[in-house]
Amino acid sequence: MKLVKSLALGSAAAFVALSGAQAADLPGAEPVEYVKVCDAYGAGFFYIPGSETCLQIGGFARLDFSAGEVSRTIAGTKPNNNTGFRARARLWFDARTDTEYGTLRTYIRAQFQRQSGGNNAVAQSDINGDDALFDKAFVQFAGLTAGLTDSFWDFKPYATFANPYVSDRTLALIGYTVEFAPGFSASIAIEDGTARRAIATTPGQPGFVTPNYNEQKYPDIVGNLRVQQGWGEAQLSGFAHNITTEQTGGVPAVLTNRDTAWGYGGMVGVKINLPALAKGDYIWGSAGYSSGSLSYLGFGTSGDEVQGIANTQNIERANRLVDFEVGAGGKIRKTEAYAFNLGLLHYWDPKWRSSVQGSYIDVNVKSAGNDWAAYTLTGNLIWSPVKKLDIGAEVNYVKVTKRSSTYNLRDTDEVIGRFRVQRDF
């Protein structure tokens, strides 16, 4: 038996050697170039064959199911569905090359989505049901960032499914970052102000059409100071947002008044790691102020989303969401708002984690009776049976503590539940 095994192994070795020699002798044969791991930028990168560029490919697939109370109007109608679904997929490519000026980076992220649960109890997917988003595409080089990416204002380390009262936007911008020391930086950017607009209204102005934003005269100016160390991270942000509007009256319409103003605001955010509790634990909080652009606090435009899926159980949106109003003489009167958030993420063990979060917003609209305020309390539990697979449930309580005169719902609070399954790769 040993002799048979020896003969078989010897024959196999001779065959492999002969095959290799014959392949090497073939005219025009090219050497095979295998993909190599690139460890210069972290896990998951590999060299693109034939280049010095490292590439990472990633993404996720996710399903959310949302269910909760539905607030009826004073007239008794039901403006929203009780339940809604959202299926979302993301795919991104992160390419980096080392140069004499530092890392040259190109990042592209696409997002595809289908959702239901819009207004008027529709059975089919709502108007945004089939959605492919050009979500991110930017270049970074020697401190420069140019393209479609996160606003330089944003600070969002929250771990809940529902957004707290913070901005979570991608928009077009050109920015520059200076790093003073490892982990300490300052940034300035010009950003697309049209992505931050909430509709404006003119209460009590008979004979005038409702004004809105006119041309974008200047882009938004956004800056931040940031520190990121082993203990956590902190950021101070500020913005300036240009508003231009006009009033017309008569038939045919004639320009009667025109005004321009600058909105502005600031935010401070802090995240503190808590390894003494468990690996991965942290507490975070933020406080923000806005005058003239509610989007910077997470409200007011189609890209902002706080609670619920589509318009399902989104009680805050029944209130006045305007960046400004126009008073007598066409003068702009900016809406002011304050927002506060506090949250905690805790790992019970490597496979189970929870987050709790509280948020509060107070919106001051200039016309009498249209101020409003609300708070939310959120908690979830997430199970990760295998790496990069999350199965979790979340409960979100929303309470409106001060109504605007345009608020026409019977109830001032809602309980929203959400179930999520997500696989990252």
PDB file of all heavy atoms in Angstrom, residues 195-215:
ATOM      1  N   ALA A 195     -30.186  73.234  -0.811  1.00  0.00           N
ATOM      2  CA  ALA A 195     -30.471  71.962  -0.156  1.00  0.00           C
ATOM      3  C   ALA A 195     -30.934  72.148   1.273  1.00  0.00           C
ATOM      4  O   ALA A 195     -31.305  71.177   1.935  1.00  0.00           O
ATOM      5  CB  ALA A 195     -29.227  71.072  -0.186  1.00  0.00           C
ATOM      6  N   ARG A 196     -30.932  73.388   1.770  1.00  0.00           N
ATOM      7  CA  ARG A 196     -31.298  73.682   3.155  1.00  0.00           C
ATOM      8  C   ARG A 196     -32.608  74.450   3.277  1.00  0.00           C
ATOM      9  O   ARG A 196     -32.941  74.928   4.350  1.00  0.00           O
ATOM     10  CB  ARG A 196     -30.184  74.515   3.799  1.00  0.00           C
ATOM     11  CG  ARG A 196     -28.871  73.780   3.993  1.00  0.00           C
ATOM     12  CD  ARG A 196     -29.003  72.733   5.059  1.00  0.00           C
ATOM     13  NE  ARG A 196     -27.697  72.192   5.476  1.00  0.00           N
ATOM     14  CZ  ARG A 196     -27.553  71.233   6.372  1.00  0.00           C
ATOM     15  NH1 ARG A 196     -28.617  70.691   6.941  1.00  0.00           N
ATOM     16  NH2 ARG A 196     -26.355  70.801   6.699  1.00  0.00           N
ATOM     17  N   ARG A 197     -33.382  74.577   2.216  1.00  0.00           N
ATOM     18  CA  ARG A 197     -34.536  75.464   2.236  1.00  0.00           C
ATOM     19  C   ARG A 197     -35.807  74.802   2.753  1.00  0.00           C
ATOM     20  O   ARG A 197     -36.157  73.710   2.331  1.00  0.00           O
ATOM     21  CB  ARG A 197     -34.792  76.000   0.832  1.00  0.00           C
ATOM     22  CG  ARG A 197     -33.690  76.922   0.328  1.00  0.00           C
ATOM     23  CD  ARG A 197     -33.991  77.409  -1.070  1.00  0.00           C
ATOM     24  NE  ARG A 197     -33.052  78.462  -1.480  1.00  0.00           N
ATOM     25  CZ  ARG A 197     -33.126  79.113  -2.629  1.00  0.00           C
ATOM     26  NH1 ARG A 197     -34.088  78.808  -3.489  1.00  0.00           N
ATOM     27  NH2 ARG A 197     -32.257  80.059  -2.925  1.00  0.00           N
ATOM     28  N   ALA A 198     -36.496  75.493   3.646  1.00  0.00           N
ATOM     29  CA  ALA A 198     -37.867  75.157   4.026  1.00  0.00           C
ATOM     30  C   ALA A 198     -38.764  76.280   3.535  1.00  0.00           C
ATOM     31  O   ALA A 198     -38.366  77.444   3.527  1.00  0.00           O
ATOM     32  CB  ALA A 198     -37.986  75.004   5.541  1.00  0.00           C
ATOM     33  N   ILE A 199     -39.980  75.958   3.122  1.00  0.00           N
ATOM     34  CA  ILE A 199     -40.859  76.936   2.500  1.00  0.00           C
ATOM     35  C   ILE A 199     -41.150  78.081   3.459  1.00  0.00           C
ATOM     36  O   ILE A 199     -41.230  77.908   4.669  1.00  0.00           O
ATOM     37  CB  ILE A 199     -42.171  76.276   2.026  1.00  0.00           C
ATOM     38  CG1 ILE A 199     -42.957  77.234   1.134  1.00  0.00           C
ATOM     39  CG2 ILE A 199     -42.998  75.803   3.217  1.00  0.00           C
ATOM     40  CD1 ILE A 199     -44.131  76.584   0.450  1.00  0.00           C
ATOM     41  N   ALA A 200     -41.288  79.267   2.906  1.00  0.00           N
ATOM     42  CA  ALA A 200     -41.631  80.439   3.711  1.00  0.00           C
ATOM     43  C   ALA A 200     -43.088  80.795   3.488  1.00  0.00           C
ATOM     44  O   ALA A 200     -43.680  80.459   2.465  1.00  0.00           O
ATOM     45  CB  ALA A 200     -40.742  81.615   3.321  1.00  0.00           C
ATOM     46  N   THR A 201     -43.701  81.480   4.446  1.00  0.00           N
ATOM     47  CA  THR A 201     -45.104  81.846   4.321  1.00  0.00           C
ATOM     48  C   THR A 201     -45.311  83.286   4.752  1.00  0.00           C
ATOM     49  O   THR A 201     -44.496  83.869   5.445  1.00  0.00           O
ATOM     50  CB  THR A 201     -46.015  80.958   5.192  1.00  0.00           C
ATOM     51  OG1 THR A 201     -45.641  81.144   6.565  1.00  0.00           O
ATOM     52  CG2 THR A 201     -45.888  79.510   4.825  1.00  0.00           C
ATOM     53  N   THR A 202     -46.435  83.864   4.326  1.00  0.00           N
ATOM     54  CA  THR A 202     -46.802  85.213   4.738  1.00  0.00           C
ATOM     55  C   THR A 202     -48.170  85.177   5.396  1.00  0.00           C
ATOM     56  O   THR A 202     -49.185  85.164   4.709  1.00  0.00           O
ATOM     57  CB  THR A 202     -46.846  86.166   3.533  1.00  0.00           C
ATOM     58  OG1 THR A 202     -45.586  86.141   2.884  1.00  0.00           O
ATOM     59  CG2 THR A 202     -47.138  87.588   3.985  1.00  0.00           C
ATOM     60  N   PRO A 203     -48.259  85.081   6.709  1.00  0.00           N
ATOM     61  CA  PRO A 203     -49.566  85.075   7.356  1.00  0.00           C
ATOM     62  C   PRO A 203     -50.175  86.473   7.380  1.00  0.00           C
ATOM     63  O   PRO A 203     -49.473  87.471   7.560  1.00  0.00           O
ATOM     64  CB  PRO A 203     -49.232  84.604   8.775  1.00  0.00           C
ATOM     65  CG  PRO A 203     -47.832  85.070   8.997  1.00  0.00           C
ATOM     66  CD  PRO A 203     -47.151  84.985   7.662  1.00  0.00           C
ATOM     67  N   GLY A 204     -51.474  86.551   7.163  1.00  0.00           N
ATOM     68  CA  GLY A 204     -52.177  87.823   7.320  1.00  0.00           C
ATOM     69  C   GLY A 204     -51.760  88.907   6.358  1.00  0.00           C
ATOM     70  O   GLY A 204     -51.717  90.084   6.722  1.00  0.00           O
ATOM     71  N   GLN A 205     -51.464  88.553   5.131  1.00  0.00           N
ATOM     72  CA  GLN A 205     -51.076  89.551   4.141  1.00  0.00           C
ATOM     73  C   GLN A 205     -52.033  89.472   2.941  1.00  0.00           C
ATOM     74  O   GLN A 205     -51.667  88.994   1.878  1.00  0.00           O
ATOM     75  CB  GLN A 205     -49.634  89.315   3.683  1.00  0.00           C
ATOM     76  CG  GLN A 205     -48.589  89.533   4.758  1.00  0.00           C
ATOM     77  CD  GLN A 205     -48.339  91.012   4.984  1.00  0.00           C
ATOM     78  OE1 GLN A 205     -48.435  91.809   4.072  1.00  0.00           O
ATOM     79  NE2 GLN A 205     -48.037  91.372   6.222  1.00  0.00           N
ATOM     80  N   PRO A 206     -53.273  89.923   3.066  1.00  0.00           N
ATOM     81  CA  PRO A 206     -54.230  89.828   1.959  1.00  0.00           C
ATOM     82  C   PRO A 206     -53.727  90.584   0.735  1.00  0.00           C
ATOM     83  O   PRO A 206     -53.116  91.647   0.846  1.00  0.00           O
ATOM     84  CB  PRO A 206     -55.498  90.479   2.528  1.00  0.00           C
ATOM     85  CG  PRO A 206     -55.297  90.513   4.008  1.00  0.00           C
ATOM     86  CD  PRO A 206     -53.833  90.573   4.245  1.00  0.00           C
ATOM     87  N   GLY A 207     -53.989  90.024  -0.429  1.00  0.00           N
ATOM     88  CA  GLY A 207     -53.616  90.683  -1.664  1.00  0.00           C
ATOM     89  C   GLY A 207     -52.213  90.379  -2.136  1.00  0.00           C
ATOM     90  O   GLY A 207     -51.811  90.868  -3.197  1.00  0.00           O
ATOM     91  N   PHE A 208     -51.443  89.605  -1.376  1.00  0.00           N
ATOM     92  CA  PHE A 208     -50.089  89.250  -1.779  1.00  0.00           C
ATOM     93  C   PHE A 208     -49.990  87.744  -1.960  1.00  0.00           C
ATOM     94  O   PHE A 208     -50.564  86.981  -1.173  1.00  0.00           O
ATOM     95  CB  PHE A 208     -49.071  89.694  -0.722  1.00  0.00           C
ATOM     96  CG  PHE A 208     -48.908  91.178  -0.627  1.00  0.00           C
ATOM     97  CD1 PHE A 208     -49.654  91.915   0.269  1.00  0.00           C
ATOM     98  CD2 PHE A 208     -48.023  91.847  -1.460  1.00  0.00           C
ATOM     99  CE1 PHE A 208     -49.508  93.285   0.345  1.00  0.00           C
ATOM    100  CE2 PHE A 208     -47.868  93.218  -1.383  1.00  0.00           C
ATOM    101  CZ  PHE A 208     -48.616  93.950  -0.472  1.00  0.00           C
ATOM    102  N   VAL A 209     -49.276  87.324  -2.965  1.00  0.00           N
ATOM    103  CA  VAL A 209     -49.027  85.901  -3.137  1.00  0.00           C
ATOM    104  C   VAL A 209     -48.064  85.439  -2.047  1.00  0.00           C
ATOM    105  O   VAL A 209     -47.306  86.225  -1.486  1.00  0.00           O
ATOM    106  CB  VAL A 209     -48.432  85.585  -4.521  1.00  0.00           C
ATOM    107  CG1 VAL A 209     -49.382  86.009  -5.611  1.00  0.00           C
ATOM    108  CG2 VAL A 209     -47.077  86.253  -4.698  1.00  0.00           C
ATOM    109  N   THR A 210     -48.126  84.157  -1.719  1.00  0.00           N
ATOM    110  CA  THR A 210     -47.218  83.616  -0.715  1.00  0.00           C
ATOM    111  C   THR A 210     -45.793  83.644  -1.246  1.00  0.00           C
ATOM    112  O   THR A 210     -45.502  83.048  -2.280  1.00  0.00           O
ATOM    113  CB  THR A 210     -47.596  82.173  -0.367  1.00  0.00           C
ATOM    114  OG1 THR A 210     -48.920  82.165   0.154  1.00  0.00           O
ATOM    115  CG2 THR A 210     -46.644  81.596   0.678  1.00  0.00           C
ATOM    116  N   PRO A 211     -44.893  84.350  -0.578  1.00  0.00           N
ATOM    117  CA  PRO A 211     -43.519  84.412  -1.082  1.00  0.00           C
ATOM    118  C   PRO A 211     -42.745  83.148  -0.743  1.00  0.00           C
ATOM    119  O   PRO A 211     -43.127  82.385   0.127  1.00  0.00           O
ATOM    120  CB  PRO A 211     -42.942  85.612  -0.331  1.00  0.00           C
ATOM    121  CG  PRO A 211     -43.659  85.592   0.966  1.00  0.00           C
ATOM    122  CD  PRO A 211     -45.052  85.100   0.656  1.00  0.00           C
ATOM    123  N   ASN A 212     -41.684  82.959  -1.442  1.00  0.00           N
ATOM    124  CA  ASN A 212     -40.802  81.830  -1.182  1.00  0.00           C
ATOM    125  C   ASN A 212     -39.387  82.316  -1.414  1.00  0.00           C
ATOM    126  O   ASN A 212     -39.152  83.479  -1.730  1.00  0.00           O
ATOM    127  CB  ASN A 212     -41.145  80.655  -2.110  1.00  0.00           C
ATOM    128  CG  ASN A 212     -40.769  79.318  -1.500  1.00  0.00           C
ATOM    129  OD1 ASN A 212     -39.854  79.225  -0.697  1.00  0.00           O
ATOM    130  ND2 ASN A 212     -41.496  78.288  -1.894  1.00  0.00           N
ATOM    131  N   TYR A 213     -38.410  81.389  -1.271  1.00  0.00           N
ATOM    132  CA  TYR A 213     -37.046  81.738  -1.623  1.00  0.00           C
ATOM    133  C   TYR A 213     -36.976  82.150  -3.087  1.00  0.00           C
ATOM    134  O   TYR A 213     -37.613  81.548  -3.951  1.00  0.00           O
ATOM    135  CB  TYR A 213     -36.136  80.542  -1.432  1.00  0.00           C
ATOM    136  CG  TYR A 213     -35.682  80.271  -0.011  1.00  0.00           C
ATOM    137  CD1 TYR A 213     -36.362  79.363   0.786  1.00  0.00           C
ATOM    138  CD2 TYR A 213     -34.555  80.885   0.504  1.00  0.00           C
ATOM    139  CE1 TYR A 213     -35.935  79.074   2.072  1.00  0.00           C
ATOM    140  CE2 TYR A 213     -34.112  80.613   1.787  1.00  0.00           C
ATOM    141  CZ  TYR A 213     -34.801  79.706   2.572  1.00  0.00           C
ATOM    142  OH  TYR A 213     -34.365  79.433   3.833  1.00  0.00           O
ATOM    143  N   ASN A 214     -36.179  83.150  -3.377  1.00  0.00           N
ATOM    144  CA  ASN A 214     -35.854  83.478  -4.760  1.00  0.00           C
ATOM    145  C   ASN A 214     -34.477  82.911  -5.097  1.00  0.00           C
ATOM    146  O   ASN A 214     -34.100  81.863  -4.570  1.00  0.00           O
ATOM    147  CB  ASN A 214     -35.925  84.987  -4.981  1.00  0.00           C
ATOM    148  CG  ASN A 214     -37.360  85.486  -4.934  1.00  0.00           C
ATOM    149  OD1 ASN A 214     -37.704  86.321  -4.113  1.00  0.00           O
ATOM    150  ND2 ASN A 214     -38.218  84.950  -5.787  1.00  0.00           N
ATOM    151  N   GLU A 215     -33.717  83.596  -5.914  1.00  0.00           N
ATOM    152  CA  GLU A 215     -32.448  83.050  -6.373  1.00  0.00           C
ATOM    153  C   GLU A 215     -31.471  82.848  -5.215  1.00  0.00           C
ATOM    154  O   GLU A 215     -31.536  83.542  -4.203  1.00  0.00           O
ATOM    155  CB  GLU A 215     -31.818  83.971  -7.428  1.00  0.00           C
ATOM    156  CG  GLU A 215     -31.222  85.261  -6.864  1.00  0.00           C
ATOM    157  CD  GLU A 215     -32.210  86.404  -6.738  1.00  0.00           C
ATOM    158  OE1 GLU A 215     -33.425  86.149  -6.888  1.00  0.00           O
ATOM    159  OE2 GLU A 215     -31.773  87.536  -6.496  1.00  0.00           O
TER     160      GLU A 215
END
